[in-house]
Amino acid sequence: MPEASTAKGRATRARIVEGAAEVLREQGVAFTTLDDIRDRTRTSKSQLFHYFPGGKDELLLAVAEFEAGRVLEDQQPHLDCLDSWESWYRWRDAVVERYELQNDQCPLGSLFLQVGRSEPGARAIVAELMRQWQERIADGIRTLRARELIPASVDVDRSAAALLAGVQGGVSIMMSTGSSAHLKAALDTGIEQLRSAKAVAERS
Amino acid sequence: MPEASTAKGRATRARIVEGAAEVLREQGVAFTTLDDIRDRTRTSKSQLFHYFPGGKDELLLAVAEFEAGRVLEDQQPHLDCLDSWESWYRWRDAVVERYELQNDQCPLGSLFLQVGRSEPGARAIVAELMRQWQERIADGIRTLRARELIPASVDVDRSAAALLAGVQGGVSIMMSTGSSAHLKAALDTGIEQLRSAKAVAERS
DNA sequence: CCAGGACTGGACTTGCCGGTCCACTTTCAT
DNA sequence: ATGAAAGTGGACCGGCAAGTCCAGTCCTGG
């Protein structure tokens, strides 16, 4: 993978990835051709193959990486300070809003399915995103525990895993139904479970 | 959509759908051609188009319907009697086992992404499956409430929605990571939340 | 037994789309 | 300034897979 060595080249490469991401979100991987991407990014076939010698697969992989980065970036500010119940609800709102905006397109999900089997790289990208995301949530839960908002008995990693699963499921259900009800339900019950953990612990 | 009018015809149609489902699970929609399906089902192009005049899309839709049916069928016995904590854990085990077996293939997910945008029918199938599935879970929760294992204050529909979201997310994460940890975490914390609801209610 | 429709086989067409090629222009180091 | 390397444009190729066609064969009812 020959990295572009001039400023112009790097700009073109970036333009391709971002433009491709747009088109892919709009049309879905299955219905997007290199020509669509070429049109959108005002480039030519040779440029596409110049920057991505591995062809479409390599380009899709780059887009997947790009999109994966954005997922966390968008939540960064909220994920960074999950230290009070209010902050957890702010995060909740941010997640819901983010996915409501890009109504029924989960760029990563579809990208993964397209490249998935052939490229182990795609799996790695998604797996790594999940790992980081979950770690951030776990950090937030640990903060709560440090502040004694929840008891020490809470299984941090399992709670984080469950919460993440709820978000993923909420999003994927939203894609077929168009409604964010499940996403909200998952987030709300997940947070409430944490909040109620103290009560449960104290009673026993 | 001319339904086959002879026994032989119906058998062939069924063979096509079931065989196509197999191939699709094995290779993924993106990498499956009509010829693959033709080979597997020992049929010919003309038969494929005879039974599915709408071409590949129509066939994929039929497969989606078939797969959707199986999802609920497989859980039917457990979903039907969610009346004790033990039964909930049996259901949990059944779900985990089911998805661990078909390791990294969510037939519906990928089918949806392929046909999705073009055919509103695909959305409808998935949405309907979700609706029914959630309703079954909600029924189970209502049973618990009727037996006073959980307090009346529990929001049945929201809890069911959250649980379903957790399952969906757990499955989709499993597809990229290969691990069922998230699915288990989501199911376990979901059920535990129900169990602890009584404690929380009594304390307040 | 014999029409007529249901069903089957597979060769053929068609168009799309990933990928290649090469001629050309721009950039930049010396 | 100049030539090599980087970057760009777009015509072209070739294969693949969806979809068509028609010539059959097999049921079924009368």
Side-chain angles (χ1 to χ4, degrees), chain B residues 6 12 44 46-47 51:
Chain B
T6 86
T12 302
S44 66
S46 69
Q47 294 179 68
Y51 293 108

Side-chain angles (χ1 to χ4, degrees), chain A residues 35-172:
Chain A
D35 284 321
D36 293 333
I37 294 172
R38 198 178 45 62
D39 282 348
R40 177 71 59 107
T41 58
R42 289 181 317 274
T43 50
S44 66
K45 274 284 179 68
S46 70
Q47 296 180 67
L48 259 35
F49 283 87
H50 179 66
Y51 293 107
F52 306 95
K56 198 180 189 183
D57 279 359
E58 190 178 337
L59 173 55
L60 288 180
L61 216 59
V63 172
E65 230 156 329
F66 173 71
E67 293 283 15
R70 288 180 30 139
V71 171
L72 278 185
E73 253 171 49
D74 288 357
Q75 303 177 54
Q76 198 78 306
H78 298 99
L79 280 174
D80 272 341
C81 66
L82 289 176
D83 49 12
S84 67
W85 295 120
E86 294 72 40
S87 64
W88 278 84
Y89 285 111
R90 275 199 298 276
W91 170 64
R92 182 212 104 117
D93 291 339
V95 172
V96 171
E97 191 193 8
R98 188 223 147 96
Y99 285 103
E100 268 178 348
L101 281 182
Q102 57 173 51
N103 196 357
D104 60 354
Q105 36 224 354
C106 178
L108 273 175
S110 40
L111 282 171
F112 172 68
L113 284 166
Q114 179 78 7
V115 194
R117 232 155 291 259
S118 52
E119 287 285 334
R123 277 179 98 102
I125 290 172
V126 179
E128 176 61 14
L129 169 63
M130 291 300 140
R131 203 191 59 69
Q132 285 187 23
W133 197 344
Q134 181 176 339
E135 200 41 49
R136 293 326 206 68
I137 297 174
D139 282 343
I141 300 179
R142 275 187 216 102
T143 305
L144 291 177
R145 201 170 59 180
R147 306 207 169 183
E148 298 187 352
L149 288 167
I150 59 173
S153 59
V154 168
D155 182 335
V156 175
D157 290 321
R158 204 189 59 165
S159 300
L163 204 41
L164 181 61
V167 172
Q168 292 307 308
V171 170
S172 66

Side-chain angles (χ1 to χ4, degrees), chain B residues 76-192:
Chain B
Q76 199 78 305
H78 298 98
L79 280 174
D80 272 342
C81 67
L82 290 175
D83 48 13
S84 66
W85 296 119
E86 294 72 40
S87 65
W88 278 84
Y89 285 110
R90 276 199 299 275
W91 170 64
R92 181 211 105 117
D93 291 338
V95 172
V96 172
E97 192 193 8
R98 188 224 146 98
Y99 284 104
E100 268 178 350
L101 282 181
Q102 57 172 49
N103 196 357
D104 60 353
Q105 37 222 353
C106 178
L108 272 175
S110 40
L111 282 171
F112 172 67
L113 283 166
Q114 180 77 6
V115 193
R117 234 155 289 258
S118 52
E119 285 286 333
R123 277 178 98 103
I125 290 173
V126 179
E128 176 62 12
L129 170 62
M130 291 301 141
R131 203 191 58 71
Q132 284 188 24
W133 197 343
Q134 181 177 339
E135 199 41 48
R136 291 327 204 69
I137 297 174
D139 282 343
I141 299 178
R142 275 188 217 102
T143 305
L144 291 177
R145 202 171 58 179
R147 305 206 170 184
E148 297 186 353
L149 290 166
I150 59 173
S153 59
V154 168
D155 182 335
V156 175
D157 290 319
R158 205 190 59 167
S159 301
L163 204 42
L164 181 60
V167 172
Q168 293 307 307
V171 170
S172 65
I173 293 176
M174 184 156 97
M175 281 197 278
S176 29
T177 65
S179 144
S180 59
H182 287 80
L183 177 58
K184 287 177 183 160
L187 279 162
D188 286 340
T189 60
I191 295 176
E192 271 170 39

Side-chain angles (χ1 to χ4, degrees), chain B residues 1-11 13 50-51:
Chain B
M1 40 212 65
E3 290 306 314
S5 60
T6 86
K8 194 174 180 186
R10 258 168 288 138
R13 198 196 131 102
H50 179 68
Y51 293 108

